[in-house]
Amino acid sequence: MSLDWIYYAISWILLTWHSAWDAIGVPVGAVIGTNFAWILAIVFLVVTVRVILFPVFVKQIKSQRAMQALQPKVKELQEKHKGDRETLQKEMMELYKKEKANPLMGCLPMFLQIPVFLGLFHVLRRLDPDKQNKTLYGWTADQFQSASQAKLFTAPIAGKFGSTADELASLGANGTTVKVIAGVLVLVMIATTYLTSRQMILKTGWAEDPQQRMIQRLMLYGIPASLLISGAIFPIGVIIYWVTNNLFTLGQQQWVLRKFPPPVTAKKTTAPAASRNPVQPAKAGGLFGRGKTAPPAPVKAAAPKVAGPKPGAKPTNNPKKGRPAKRQG
């Protein structure tokens, strides 16, 4: 199956945004060793894709809410079919189908962005001045030449941490500079990838379903760890896309989680009514759920009860109250 349609689409969005920034007056030439028109074109490629995928993101949040609401039923099934994994999986699939919840929906936005990532990866790999066909995927020769010379702090956006000496020579790049810029960006990419998963898990909690919990662990630890190795083959422009996408995700998740907070599930307790504390203090703010816990409201000490006079009883006077002391003659 040909992926040319993806390469044409990615190229068209990149070139459109680059032309827009050029028309606005963003310098095409390098400023502080950076061609901002091309960097902004990559950044707004992210914005374009995320706007298109926003309805999918909303479905992802709804699915996660549905999965969270089903956790008590999932727990019951696990206790009921303890030791019978096959029956447990069958019952859980029926439960998900009945409640219209999909455990894999949480990964859908990421999967839908894989073609965009691969398309950008392919397009940027072609930015080699030695290439003969410079007009592929709708590029003009001038646009190709401009993009192949685009840099971030003097490191070409087509360069990567693992670039060979020949590749660096064709791009006219310094190997040390490329490794430093690419290395820093890879570390930022790993950190922001970890934080996006951690942010969601801290707000929604770990799943009771082993399958869902395994997916959460993969998202939290597996993917960031894999980037430590695979990041060496990503062009700098692709890493800029990934970091921008992660930052966009952090902001979008924070907005959604504040506007539509996860439902609070009541936990069973055997404590007596007098010692129960059903209302848990909410976490206040914090980008990653590490805000300070709101202090409980101070409880005023109850005044001691004073028994009132019985109906029909004569009032008793306190001879000492309000009377001056008698003087000794």
Side-chain angles (χ1 to χ4, degrees):
M1 179 180 177
S2 176
L3 297 178
D4 282 358
W5 66 274
I6 295 178
Y7 306 146
Y8 274 102
I10 297 301
S11 296
W12 182 82
I13 296 173
L14 275 177
L15 296 174
T16 299
W17 278 114
H18 180 265
S19 300
W21 296 119
D22 187 17
I24 291 172
V26 175
V28 176
V31 178
I32 322 175
T34 303
N35 299 87
F36 286 100
W38 283 110
I39 301 300
L40 288 173
I42 295 174
V43 169
F44 277 80
L45 169 63
V46 175
V47 175
T48 304
V49 172
R50 294 308 295 262
V51 169
I52 294 172
L53 292 181
F54 185 76
V56 179
F57 179 77
V58 173
K59 287 185 178 181
Q60 175 197 20
I61 295 297
K62 289 182 178 179
S63 177
Q64 289 173 336
R65 293 289 186 268
M67 291 295 299
Q68 188 176 10
L70 287 176
Q71 292 309 306
K73 293 183 179 180
V74 170
K75 190 71 174 175
E76 289 178 6
L77 288 176
Q78 289 173 341
E79 293 294 332
K80 181 180 178 181
H81 302 291
K82 198 171 184 179
D84 189 353
R85 189 174 184 82
E86 184 177 349
T87 305
L88 174 62
Q89 291 295 330
K90 183 180 177 181
E91 292 281 343
M92 286 175 57
M93 289 301 104
E94 291 179 359
L95 176 64
Y96 294 151
K97 184 177 180 180
K98 179 182 177 182
E99 301 294 337
K100 297 180 180 180
N102 187 350
L104 300 178
M105 182 61 72
C107 303
L108 184 60
M110 183 186 70
F111 288 146
L112 291 178
Q113 290 187 74
I114 290 177
V116 180
F117 175 82
L118 293 176
L120 181 62
F121 180 84
H122 177 79
V123 168
L124 292 182
R125 283 184 62 186
R126 290 192 63 255
L127 295 180
D128 183 352
D130 295 336
K131 294 276 186 185
Q132 297 298 321
N133 189 359
K134 299 181 180 181
T135 59
L136 195 61
Y137 310 134
W139 293 65
T140 66
D142 290 340
Q143 289 171 333
F144 185 94
Q145 191 68 24
S146 174
S148 64
Q149 295 174 352
K151 296 176 174 61
L152 175 67
F153 302 121
T154 71
I157 61 174
K160 51 186 180 292
F161 188 89
S163 291
T164 64
D166 291 340
E167 290 172 339
L168 292 171
S170 66
L171 293 171
N174 179 279
T176 302
T177 302
V178 170
K179 279 183 169 51
V180 169
I181 298 298
V184 170
L185 286 175
V186 167
L187 292 177
V188 175
M189 176 175 64
I190 293 171
T192 52
T193 300
Y194 170 80
L195 289 174
T196 53
S197 297
R198 184 172 183 269
Q199 180 192 47
M200 183 61 72
I201 292 173
L202 281 177
K203 292 292 184 180
T204 60
W206 287 95
E208 295 286 348
D209 177 14
Q211 181 182 3
Q212 188 73 4
R213 183 181 285 258
M214 182 181 67
I215 293 174
Q216 286 179 321
R217 290 189 181 280
L218 175 64
M219 298 287 290
L220 185 61
Y221 302 114
I223 294 179
S226 68
L227 293 177
L228 190 61
I229 299 173
S230 59
I233 66 172
F234 294 163
I236 288 175
V238 171
I239 304 177
I240 293 172
Y241 173 90
W242 194 305
V243 170
T244 305
N245 184 65
N246 285 346
L247 295 175
F248 195 101
T249 301
L250 284 170
Q252 192 176 57
Q253 285 183 171
Q254 183 69 7
W255 178 81
V256 170
L257 291 169
R258 281 183 178 275
K259 193 169 181 64
F260 307 104
V264 178
T265 55
K267 295 183 179 180
K268 294 181 180 181
T269 177
T270 56
S275 61
R276 260 180 222 163
N277 184 19
V279 181
Q280 299 294 330
K283 290 185 177 180
L287 179 59
F288 312 118
R290 299 185 65 176
K292 294 181 179 179
T293 303
V299 181
K300 294 182 178 180
K305 292 183 179 181
V306 179
K310 295 181 179 180
K314 293 182 179 181
T316 57
N317 294 327
N318 188 349
K320 296 182 181 180
K321 184 176 181 181
R323 292 183 181 182
K326 293 183 179 181
R327 294 182 180 178
Q328 299 294 331

